[in-house]
Amino acid sequence: MLSFLRRQGTLKLMLSSNSGRIGVALFLSMVVISLVVVAVYPLDFGKTKWNNPAYWADNPQSVPPSWWRFFTGKDHIVHHIHSAGSPSAVDPRDTGPLLRYNFSFDASSGAIPSFTSISLSGVSYYSTPPVVTLRLRRPDGRLVTVLQEVVRGPQGDGVTPQTRFDDTPYRVFLSGNDSVQVNLADFLFQEFSLQAQPSQLQGSVESVLFGTPQPGGGFQPLRGGYTAIVDLQMRDARDRANFVDSVKFVRGGTVYGLMGTDATGRDLFTGLLFGFPVALTIGISTALISSAIGAALGIISGYRGGKTDIIIQRTADVFTNIPLLPILIFLIFVLGAKLWLVVLILALFGWPGLTITTRSMVLQIRSGQLVEATQALGASQWRIMFRHVIFQIAPFLLAQVIFFTPAAILAEAGLSFLGLGDPSIPTWGQILESGFRTGAVFVGYWWWVLPPGILIAVTALCFVLLTMALEPIVSPRLRTGQ
Amino acid sequence: MSLGRTLAIRGLTLLGVLVVVLLLVIITLGATGFSERILTATMSEQLRGEREVLARTIRDPLQLENALQARRDELVRFYGLDKPWYQNLPNVTRRVVTLDLGQARTLRTSDGSSKVSSLIMERLPRTILLVTTASVITSVIGLWVGVKLATRAGTGWDKAVSYLSAVSFALPAWWAGILFILIFAFHLDVFPEGGLYGTPPPEGGLARFGDLLYHALLPILTLTVVSLGGWIYAVRTMVLNTSQEFFVTVARAKGLSEGQVMRRYILRAAAPPIVTSLILGLTGSLGGAILTETVFNWPGMGRLYFDAIQSADETVIVALTFVFTLMYVAARFVLEVLYVILDPRVRYA
């Protein structure tokens, strides 16, 4: 089929129109992105990463993309994860070494971080879990003791070191932590003579840490160099400095990444990228299957005629009248949200239109000289149908495959939007659905709902443009009209 | 083929559609054991309630268990759970066809009825309001613009509108709705973000109707915008195709005015395929209505479908799937009649 198209100069004709050029360019870039994603992403991305909240715990929630800060005029903080694999200083004590981690950073922006957290991963100890202390040295010279607590975990047996927090790190969010609020209330009283109930500080922990109280109330962000000092007091003389795999101090950004984050902190950019191969697969495989069924039945129907023709055409009449979306919704609801099922159902209900048109084209071809000649040569019916007749309607079939593709992508997106998306495979429709369901539309989180919709629309548009460009090839009469 | 015969064949085909959809729905529910699960759950709930009532009168635990067992057997027979699912087929089919649709599990009408048929009767007019208004607007604008474009094929206008049509075709209805909410309700604050009436709903028939229209505007705009593009493009292409036929050249050669040529020759001949694509467009708006109503929280049939899925209300889902098909088939039949009137070849062939 393809060699036929090349001979006819199809590609050249397609590239001669603007819509064709844009369509081909869009299609090629989508294919490239998809190939990169397939090569880079793990196959179980949906299960192990996207739908695993622990994976995104270090991210800020519902914040706009990083580049947005250039448009708002307000100060923003880009997300920062300070991480260390080994301590900057070790104090070997008799009761166990003290591991000190220093994270220095410069807060030049006039904004307060959206959250702060520290996390420890892979903590080993012989008898007693270590004590973690977090202090913050501020640009005004003040030193705040933020947190001091024993790492949760059972006592060791004292013979072999045991390891905790290998998969899921030990993580403390400072904002929601009661003892942090008590410590900060003390700090405010001692340094600024401010009386505050610890519970009043819930939600404004970061403002206290990174700001100076104002006489009229509220906090003014304090710019300059900060150092976060994390001390880990090990509690057995045999504990070593390498007993802690890594320590992280996270300053939650008020902006994040290329596309921002959703309410669970997921990086929308990675999710959107994953949608490319998924959308293309859904669209193209559905279009190929349904076109194959449609063309085969249409050719048989037109060429064989008689009873076969009547049966196929009546069936096609019935199927073409079935409202697809309600049936699709119903079947997916009952049979379960699986992507392959969506593709199968769309393909099984998508063929009749093509069958009807193919039949009418085959009726003309059948009475032509080519078919007569092949019949005279003694070719079998099947050989004529699927070697010679199909050859003559090839450009039309190609146009149909392209024409079907966006319909399948849009149908899947609509289904996902109703909450019937396959949970193991994130799609653009699902991202939009979660945004809509959690009310992102009504609080104006545009970065969550606009990009997936734009991508769906652009992908569909790409195939519509290709169809438009193919039109003069399929019905040559329009060539003069353009 | 006579007119009656043609219509009879079309009618039979559409009846076939109903039968196929119905069988598909019922067999899927039966063969997957879905209905059995639901019915068993309903039965257990009913028995739990009756146990409490019975426990008040029957003190002896053994006697109570016996009474409950008898009741359970009765219910099993009543729901047909003692027979394999295919033996219940005639019964279920009869109930759906006669629109004896049963009770919804959680969904209620505004006056508290849980009967599926009253739920549907309450919601149906609201969906019809959206879909028909949008369809009428779309066809009028589409026909007008499409014809205009066909006479100016190849000009800048034609190209621009062709691209816009492609964009409109590619826009998912629900996303366009979200976009309109973001722009008109959230950003500009000129339209409500959803619902049927404002809170509290205004008093007085006229004010109430006005409020309804005000709330319907954005959903109708959404439905129109997403279907208009494909429609304009279809009309343009079909008119363009017809205008290159020889009989049109002949008409022009006779010295008829362009308007006459367009009305009497081109449009007359292009009307049947135009109606065909209007028919096909209906699928789009019906499906589009499900999603658009969801986005705008418009309590019509589509929103009901969405709510039924969210609360896994099986009875409502089956009923709605069937009623959607029924609506669609009815609309198709109206258009088939229109088609027969428009295309003499169908009448006299």
Side-chain angles (χ1 to χ4, degrees):
Chain A
M1 198 192 274
L2 281 174
S3 66
F4 170 80
L5 290 175
R6 229 180 345 251
R7 209 171 61 214
Q8 297 284 304
T10 302
L11 201 62
K12 211 169 137 194
L13 203 74
M14 258 174 89
L15 287 176
S16 71
S17 69
N18 271 330
S19 61
R21 276 195 290 268
I22 300 172
V24 169
L26 278 176
F27 180 67
L28 286 181
S29 33
M30 283 193 298
V31 169
V32 170
I33 294 174
S34 301
L35 289 178
V36 171
V37 168
V38 169
V40 172
Y41 280 48
L43 270 180
D44 54 356
F45 172 77
K47 226 167 74 196
T48 56
K49 302 244 164 82
W50 189 251
N51 287 323
N52 172 16
Y55 185 81
W56 307 101
D58 277 335
N59 280 0
Q61 291 163 356
S62 308
V63 297
S66 291
W67 44 266
W68 185 240
R69 67 185 189 276
F70 302 117
F71 297 95
T72 51
K74 275 193 287 185
D75 282 321
H76 279 286
I77 287 188
V78 179
H79 194 64
H80 275 289
I81 299 177
H82 303 277
S83 169
S86 50
S88 13
V90 181
D91 178 9
R93 296 181 183 174
D94 290 344
T95 52
L98 175 81
L99 319 181
R100 172 159 295 176
Y101 299 79
N102 285 329
F103 303 109
S104 296
F105 52 88
D106 200 48
S108 54
S109 144
I112 303 285
S114 58
F115 74 96
T116 39
S117 75
I118 60 166
S119 49
L120 317 172
S121 34
V123 182
S124 310
Y125 51 89
Y126 268 99
S127 50
T128 318
V131 176
V132 57
T133 311
L134 168 69
R135 285 173 298 163
L136 185 71
R137 184 173 296 287
R138 298 163 29 119
D140 56 5
R142 293 184 167 97
L143 185 67
V144 201
T145 303
V146 186
L147 177 78
Q148 183 157 42
E149 67 178 25
V150 181
V151 171
R152 274 195 320 273
Q155 296 290 318
D157 54 13
V159 184
T160 44
Q162 58 174 309
T163 308
R164 296 277 144 187
F165 310 111
D166 246 354
D167 296 331
T168 321
Y170 177 80
R171 186 179 278 115
V172 182
F173 286 98
L174 303 184
S175 329
N177 190 294
D178 293 342
S179 63
V180 170
Q181 288 159 24
V182 173
N183 290 341
L184 290 189
D186 277 356
F187 165 74
L188 283 178
F189 183 68
Q190 280 166 15
E191 299 284 338
F192 300 103
S193 318
L194 271 174
Q195 295 267 13
Q197 287 298 317
S199 58
Q200 287 176 307
L201 295 177
Q202 185 162 19
S204 51
V205 162
E206 282 73 26
S207 312
V208 179
L209 283 178
F210 297 97
T212 343
Q214 293 298 293
F219 292 84
Q220 169 77 35
L222 181 65
R223 296 169 200 239
Y226 286 85
T227 309
I229 307 154
V230 180
D231 285 338
L232 278 174
Q233 177 61 62
M234 308 304 277
R235 295 203 281 169
D236 194 299
R238 288 166 296 170
D239 289 344
R240 293 283 160 262
N242 60 2
F243 270 24
V244 176
D245 284 351
S246 77
V247 174
K248 272 187 199 163
F249 176 72
V250 180
R251 280 190 295 146
T254 50
V255 288
Y256 183 90
L258 278 170
M259 279 296 154
T261 61
D262 69 6
T264 40
R266 293 188 283 208
D267 179 6
L268 288 169
F269 186 65
T270 52
L272 291 173
L273 275 188
F274 190 77
F276 276 96
V278 179
L280 284 192
T281 313
I282 296 169
I284 295 176
S285 55
T286 309
L288 280 178
I289 300 173
S290 64
S291 304
I293 302 176
L297 286 179
I299 292 174
I300 296 174
S301 173
Y303 191 82
R304 297 280 297 255
K307 276 212 181 71
T308 325
D309 183 30
I310 292 177
I311 294 173
I312 293 179
Q313 288 309 308
R314 286 300 144 257
T315 318
D317 269 352
V318 169
F319 268 72
T320 195
N321 278 297
I322 292 179
L324 186 57
L325 196 65
I327 292 295
L328 184 65
I329 292 172
F330 170 78
L331 287 176
I332 291 301
F333 172 74
V334 175
L335 300 175
K338 310 219 173 40
L339 200 56
W340 63 266
L341 212 58
V342 177
V343 170
L344 195 72
I345 295 171
L346 285 174
L348 286 184
F349 284 95
W351 58 269
L354 185 59
T355 299
I356 296 169
T357 27
T358 308
R359 170 182 175 268
S360 62
M361 295 172 90
V362 172
L363 280 181
Q364 283 175 7
I365 297 171
R366 187 175 66 169
S367 51
Q369 284 179 336
L370 177 87
V371 170
E372 204 177 319
T374 355
Q375 276 168 343
L377 281 171
S380 75
Q381 266 192 5
W382 295 100
R383 193 178 163 82
I384 297 174
M385 280 192 266
F386 292 101
R387 287 303 293 270
H388 300 284
V389 173
I390 200 171
F391 202 60
Q392 299 196 39
I393 55 171
F396 172 72
L397 291 184
L398 179 73
Q400 285 299 309
V401 172
I402 296 175
F403 182 71
F404 274 147
T405 307
I409 295 175
L410 290 176
E412 192 283 330
L415 201 61
S416 293
F417 181 70
L418 291 175
L420 290 171
D422 189 336
S424 62
I425 302 165
T427 62
W428 295 327
Q430 286 176 36
I431 296 179
L432 242 168
E433 188 264 342
S434 67
F436 182 73
R437 187 166 32 81
T438 54
V441 182
F442 305 109
V443 286
Y445 292 164
W446 56 268
W447 59 92
W448 190 352
V449 286
L450 291 191
I454 292 175
L455 286 178
I456 295 169
V458 166
T459 309
L461 184 67
C462 158
F463 290 97
V464 176
L465 289 175
L466 288 178
T467 314
M468 277 167 76
L470 271 177
E471 207 161 30
I473 302 161
V474 180
S475 53
R477 262 197 301 184
L478 285 179
R479 270 183 225 186
T480 46
Q482 297 277 309
Chain B
M1 233 190 272
S2 73
L3 187 63
R5 206 178 126 88
T6 314
L7 282 181
I9 289 182
R10 298 312 300 165
L12 274 180
T13 309
L14 292 175
L15 202 66
V17 173
L18 275 182
V19 172
V20 167
V21 169
L22 192 63
L23 285 181
L24 188 77
V25 167
I26 296 174
I27 291 177
T28 315
L29 284 174
T32 52
F34 195 90
S35 11
E36 203 180 304
R37 275 203 305 279
I38 300 280
L39 284 180
T40 315
T42 320
M43 195 179 73
S44 312
E45 208 160 302
Q46 204 172 334
L47 277 175
R48 233 193 327 276
E50 285 176 16
R51 170 188 222 109
E52 277 170 30
V53 179
L54 282 177
R56 264 179 244 146
T57 48
I58 309 176
R59 292 286 173 205
D60 180 22
L62 198 67
Q63 223 177 344
L64 178 68
E65 283 311 312
N66 282 340
L68 275 175
Q69 190 56 45
R71 180 71 184 131
R72 177 186 297 272
D73 293 343
E74 199 179 306
L75 281 176
V76 163
R77 266 195 308 281
F78 174 73
Y79 285 120
L81 285 170
D82 52 341
K83 288 179 277 184
W85 63 271
Y86 42 85
Q87 289 187 8
N88 289 325
L89 265 182
N91 191 21
V92 183
T93 317
R94 185 183 49 77
R95 279 179 44 210
V96 179
V97 169
T98 53
L99 290 179
D100 173 13
L101 299 164
Q103 311 274 323
R105 234 158 7 109
T106 48
L107 296 164
R108 298 285 177 270
T109 60
S110 54
D111 45 8
S113 164
S114 68
K115 270 185 74 180
V116 174
S117 45
S118 7
L119 260 174
I120 290 175
M121 285 327 285
E122 184 190 53
R123 306 292 188 98
L124 191 59
R126 299 172 183 163
T127 297
I128 291 180
L129 173 74
L130 282 197
V131 174
T132 46
T133 317
S135 295
V136 168
I137 298 176
T138 308
S139 10
V140 170
I141 300 181
L143 209 56
W144 189 69
V145 177
V147 167
K148 283 262 180 269
L149 282 188
T151 58
R152 292 168 180 71
T155 62
W157 271 109
D158 176 40
K159 286 204 178 106
V161 178
S162 294
Y163 282 122
L164 276 182
S165 318
V167 171
S168 134
F169 179 77
L171 266 186
W174 39 285
W175 187 67
I178 289 178
L179 206 62
F180 287 146
I181 292 179
L182 271 178
I183 297 170
F184 292 108
F186 183 76
H187 202 71
L188 298 177
D189 204 16
V190 286
F191 282 112
E193 60 195 35
L196 198 60
Y197 295 108
T199 37
E203 295 295 321
L206 202 65
R208 221 177 146 82
F209 185 67
D211 195 45
L212 181 73
L213 283 188
Y214 178 56
H215 280 77
L217 248 153
L218 270 193
I220 290 177
L221 181 69
T222 308
L223 280 174
T224 310
V225 163
V226 293
S227 48
L228 190 60
W231 181 227
I232 290 181
Y233 196 72
V235 172
R236 167 199 172 270
T237 309
M238 277 175 290
V239 170
L240 202 59
N241 259 333
T242 319
S243 63
Q244 284 165 11
E245 297 277 357
F246 289 122
F247 67 82
V248 177
T249 319
V250 171
R252 289 214 176 92
K254 283 200 286 193
L256 294 178
S257 75
E258 264 312 304
Q260 278 173 320
V261 173
M262 180 58 79
R263 275 194 307 278
R264 287 195 207 156
Y265 290 79
I266 300 177
L267 273 186
R268 195 75 183 89
I274 289 179
V275 171
T276 311
S277 50
L278 184 65
I279 295 175
L280 292 175
L282 252 168
T283 338
S285 27
L286 204 64
I290 298 181
L291 297 160
T292 313
E293 285 183 6
T294 303
V295 171
F296 286 100
N297 195 12
W298 178 267
M301 298 270 289
R303 180 72 201 194
L304 186 66
Y305 210 178
F306 177 74
D307 291 336
I309 292 168
Q310 297 291 313
S311 56
D313 209 324
E314 179 225 18
T315 341
V316 182
I317 292 177
V318 176
L320 280 185
T321 311
F322 186 69
V323 173
F324 264 120
T325 316
L326 202 66
M327 272 169 73
Y328 178 70
V329 163
R332 287 282 304 232
F333 193 74
V334 171
L335 287 169
E336 292 294 347
V337 174
L338 206 63
Y339 194 95
V340 171
I341 296 169
L342 281 172
D343 195 348
R345 278 170 301 186
V346 180
R347 263 180 289 168
Y348 303 117

